[in-house]
């Protein structure tokens, strides 16, 4: 084996190694993070290549297996990655797996069906895998190549891969084991993988994706095939909600860009509008959504005047009136997409806005001209929204003024002394008793405490006037100081934010996670920039305290840590399990949850497509371990702070 490795350091392969070394040094640049989310991303990188082969018209089935040994296998029945000699003198397949394509940064966003050697992302996965084996079935033979941490360990024969068997048909099978040196956790999360693969199936109606989790006993098998495509996706998003209109579906081409959309009004007081480009979700939206929203607003206002819902003297509905209760999925195919934004998921191409505008304009008119009853139901939602908006203007006007000056509307907020927002934090604490301890324990110069009793209002279910009348919500709006989204009639201004970190502190039980969910939903709807700009965190109190017979006691934050502790402390120790924050005294609360040097926070990210899974996902955000351990583990990973 030493021999094969030495062989590698010749000619062009040196460049190759340097490329993959960069991936190992800065994994976050290529897969977003090294948490479970980044780990799962490895699977999506490989699956996306098979999806490209499907889009090229040669593959209709993809099988994903989460293996017992912790590896993952992705197999497709496409043409098989080419194995013949590449101009560099080695098998084309090896070039695909050892060459870093395009300049990094979420490569999966690119459109890869332009006839080149697709397989973007394969080299990234290879670099981050302890081992990877790829088998290609072509021309009656099975070829194989193998790598360890991106370095080839399979000897070639005049540059060509060995034949390890015979079989009919064609296809590619890739098995990889994520490298524990890179990833904080190496167990794929089946629920996340399942929902992402299901989403992929919705976006590719002629594709079948199977997922088998061999780690479960008995193994769990799912098959995703969604011939109804986007319409089925939309129905799934609206599952359990009361429909106000049928599903409207259309598809068209403009300027070489394919535009597909599905929309439906439901009896809810908010909108869900999701954008996809080349089958990849755009968490930050972008030009396709702008194009859709602009034209949809125009067309609906024109109709509203046409059928007399709006009179001459009335002003137009605004965009969020029109989208009150709307669920929409806009999916485009673009030959050369560009992305911007914090996570490079915001579509930037201006021709996409034009194309979506044009197709939406034509198709919506075609549909509503024939479906007047649906039109009336849709406009009914807009009327309702406009009525609420106007009735509330006074309420919000009254609220805005105090919002900028008063910081405590009901006496419960224990504010911090400093006004230097950069260093200030506010803890939103579940329960009065934990709130009391937190007030005693905090660093009062920089840490504010806002106790919240019981369940806060579910803003998804309540009308805006109820939301704004809610004491807890008013206190938060007042305390944060930056107002709330113009979608709800205010004027959000993040530069006025008084705390750099907003930290949700709830028990690690069902009630606690429900409260976190409700708070996150409120932020997501009313102050989404707080999340997208990275100001929102979830505190993670420890689950256990262990005290050995001899030596120092220590806090453990999860079950894995406890298992590790058991392995390394055979001498016996006492174990205390914390059931809730209320069980900790002020000092313990400081040591474990408030002290910036020792606590553990999860930063909340906006990333997932469907709202339901989004909330669950939010709670799983990226993990920020205690400072010392963090600096030790990630000395040169500048992405996370604290
Ligand atoms: C380029 C050309 C050909 C196939 C592929 C790429 C290909 C790549 C991947 C990655 C995962 N599964 C894949 N399946 C196919 C076909 C070349 C030819 O046969 O002419």
């Amino acid at each position: 084996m030493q021999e094969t490795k030495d062989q590698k350091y010749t000619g062009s392969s040196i460049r190759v190694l340097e490329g993959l070394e960069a991936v190992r040094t800065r994994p976050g640049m290529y897969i977003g993070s090294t948490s479970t989310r980044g780990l799962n991303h490895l699977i999506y990188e490989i699956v996306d290549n098979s999806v490209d082969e499907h889009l090229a018209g040669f593959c209709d089935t993809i099988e994903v297996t989460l293996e017992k040994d912790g590896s993952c296998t992705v197999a497709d029945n496409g043409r098989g990655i080419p194995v013949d000699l590449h101009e560099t003198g080695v098998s084309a397949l090896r070039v695909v797996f050892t060459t870093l394509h395009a300049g990094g940064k979420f490569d999966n966003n690119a459109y890869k069906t332009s006839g080149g050697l697709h397989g973007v992302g394969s080299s990234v996965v290879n670099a981050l895998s302890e081992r990877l084996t790829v088998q290609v079935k072509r021309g009656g033979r099975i070829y194989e190549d193998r790598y360890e941490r991106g370095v080839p360990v399979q000897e070639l024969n005049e540059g060509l891969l060995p034949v390890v068997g015979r079989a009919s048909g064609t296809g590619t099978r890739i098995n990889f084991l994520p490298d524990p040196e890179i990833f904080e956790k190496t167990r794929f999360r089946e629920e996340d993988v399942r929902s992402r693969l299901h989403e992929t199936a919705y976006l590719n109606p002629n594709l079948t994706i199977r997922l088998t989790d061999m780690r479960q006993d008995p193994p769990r098998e799912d098959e995703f095939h969604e011939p109804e495509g986007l319409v089925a996706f939309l129905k799934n998003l609206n599952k359990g909600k009361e429909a106000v209109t049928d599903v409207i579906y259309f598809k068209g081409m403009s300027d070489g860009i394919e535009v597909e959309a599905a929309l439906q009004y439901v009896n809810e007081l908010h909108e869900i509008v999701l954008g996809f480009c080349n089958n990849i979700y755009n968490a930050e939206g972008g030009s396709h959504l702008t194009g859709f929203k602009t034209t949809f607003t125009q067309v609906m206002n024109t109709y509203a005047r046409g059928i007399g819902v709006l009179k001459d003297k009335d002003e137009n509905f605004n965009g969020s009136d029109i989208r009150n209760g709307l669920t929409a999925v806009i999916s485009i195919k673009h030959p050369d997409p560009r992305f911007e934004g914090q996570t490079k998921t915001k579509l930037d191409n201006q021709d996409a806005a034009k194309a979506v505008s044009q197709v939406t304009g034509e198709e919506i008119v075609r549909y509503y001209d024939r479906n007047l009853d649906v039109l009336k139901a849709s406009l009914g939602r807009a009327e309702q929204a406009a009525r609420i908006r106007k009735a509330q203007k006074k309420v919000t006007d009254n609220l805005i003024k105090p919002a900028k000056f008063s910081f405590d509307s009901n006496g419960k907020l224990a504010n911090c002394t400093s006004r230097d927002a950069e260093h200030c934090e506010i803890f939103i604490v579940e329960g009065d008793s934990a709130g009391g301890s937190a007030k005693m324990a905090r660093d009062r110069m920089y840490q504010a405490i806002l106790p919240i009793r019981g369940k806060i209002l579910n803003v998804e279910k309540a009308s805006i006037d109820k939301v704004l009348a809610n004491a807890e919500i008013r206190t938060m709006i007042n305390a944060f100081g930056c107002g709330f989204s113009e979608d709800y009639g205010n004027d959000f201004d993040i530069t006025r934010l008084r705390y750099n970190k907003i930290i949700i502190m709830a028990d690690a039980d069902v009630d606690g996670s429900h409260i976190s969910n409700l708070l996150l939903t409120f932020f997501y709807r009313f102050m989404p920039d707080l999340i997208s700009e990275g100001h929102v965190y979830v505190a993670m109190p420890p689950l256990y305290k262990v005290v050995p017979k001899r030596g120092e006691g220590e806090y453990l934050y999860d079950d894995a840590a406890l298992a590790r502790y058991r392995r390394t402390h055979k001498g016996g120790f006492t174990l205390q399990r914390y059931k809730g924050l209320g069980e900790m005294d002020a000092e313990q609360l400081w040591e474990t949850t408030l002290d910036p040097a020792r606590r553990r926070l999860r930063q909340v990210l906006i990333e997932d497509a469907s709202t339901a899974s989004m909330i669950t996902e939010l709670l799983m955000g990226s993990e920020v371990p205690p400072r010392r351990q963090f600096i030790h583990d990630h000395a040169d990973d500048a992405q996370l702070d604290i």
Side-chain angles (χ1 to χ4, degrees), residues 179-399:
D179 189 348
E181 286 178 9
I182 301 283
F183 294 95
E184 291 151 36
K185 299 195 180 120
T186 51
R187 186 181 167 81
F188 296 113
R189 241 183 82 92
E190 192 246 353
E191 299 89 325
D192 296 349
V193 174
R194 193 184 330 134
S195 78
R196 163 69 196 248
L197 294 181
H198 200 168
E199 186 181 298
T200 304
Y202 281 125
L203 294 165
N204 297 280
N206 298 318
L207 182 62
T208 299
I209 305 181
R210 279 194 277 273
L211 172 65
T212 308
D213 187 354
M214 297 300 291
R215 304 165 310 176
Q216 300 188 36
D217 187 22
R220 175 176 173 139
E221 291 185 56
D222 290 282
E223 181 173 297
F224 307 115
H225 176 55
E226 298 290 353
E228 270 199 279
L230 224 51
V231 171
F233 188 21
L234 190 88
K235 285 183 183 164
N236 189 39
L237 287 170
N238 283 346
K239 204 162 62 191
K241 298 174 188 169
E242 182 194 333
V244 173
T245 69
D246 295 340
V247 177
I248 304 172
Y249 170 83
F250 59 81
K251 184 172 177 171
M253 279 291 274
S254 168
D255 199 15
I257 300 164
E258 186 189 296
V259 178
E260 199 185 354
L263 36 137
Q264 182 179 34
Y265 280 94
V266 289
N267 191 12
E268 301 278 321
L269 292 163
H270 59 84
E271 59 179 82
I272 300 174
V273 181
L274 308 179
F276 292 81
C277 178
N278 298 342
N279 289 352
I280 291 162
Y281 174 55
N282 306 124
E284 296 175 278
S287 49
H288 44 358
L289 296 192
T290 311
F292 169 76
K293 289 178 180 178
T294 309
T295 300
F296 193 63
T297 305
Q298 271 166 13
V299 170
M300 295 302 274
N301 271 308
T302 307
Y303 271 120
R305 294 206 183 274
I307 66 170
V309 168
L310 287 177
K311 305 281 184 299
D312 285 348
K313 62 174 172 41
D314 295 329
E315 58 183 61
N316 271 357
F317 294 125
N318 71 20
S320 69
D321 295 341
I322 298 279
R323 295 189 299 277
N324 179 34
L326 179 72
T327 308
V329 183
I330 316 296
S331 172
I332 72 160
K333 302 272 163 44
H334 195 290
D336 182 26
R338 300 279 144 82
F339 298 92
E340 53 158 352
Q342 190 198 20
T343 53
K344 292 278 173 285
T345 59
K346 182 171 184 180
L347 187 67
D348 195 25
N349 306 63
Q350 286 320 301
D351 57 351
K354 261 178 75 185
V356 176
S357 270
Q358 197 192 332
V359 174
T360 302
E362 281 168 17
E363 296 294 332
I364 283 288
V365 169
R366 191 202 308 276
Y367 181 87
Y368 277 136
D369 277 355
R370 294 181 195 160
N371 294 278
L372 266 171
D373 45 337
V374 183
L375 175 66
K376 284 178 186 151
S378 306
L379 287 173
R381 304 299 301 171
E383 276 186 292
Q384 179 208 33
R387 224 181 300 121
I388 295 176
R389 175 167 59 86
K390 285 175 192 150
Q392 280 318 300
K393 193 162 174 354
K394 251 185 267 160
V395 179
T396 57
D397 283 351
N398 289 340
L399 188 86

Side-chain angles (χ1 to χ4, degrees), residues 46 49-50 53 76 78-82 115-119 138 172 174:
I46 298 291
N49 289 326
S50 299
E53 184 66 0
D76 70 47
R79 289 167 295 178
I81 301 176
L117 271 183
H118 57 237
R138 282 174 79 105
T172 303
I174 297 167

Side-chain angles (χ1 to χ4, degrees), residues 46-54 58-59 74 76-82 84 96-97 115-120 122 138 171-174:
I46 298 291
V47 168
D48 285 351
N49 289 326
S50 299
V51 172
D52 282 346
E53 184 66 0
H54 167 72
F58 299 98
C59 156
V74 178
D76 70 47
N77 64 349
R79 289 167 295 178
I81 301 176
D84 45 331
V96 168
F97 278 85
L117 271 183
H118 57 237
V120 176
S122 316
R138 282 174 79 105
T172 303
R173 167 185 295 269
I174 297 167

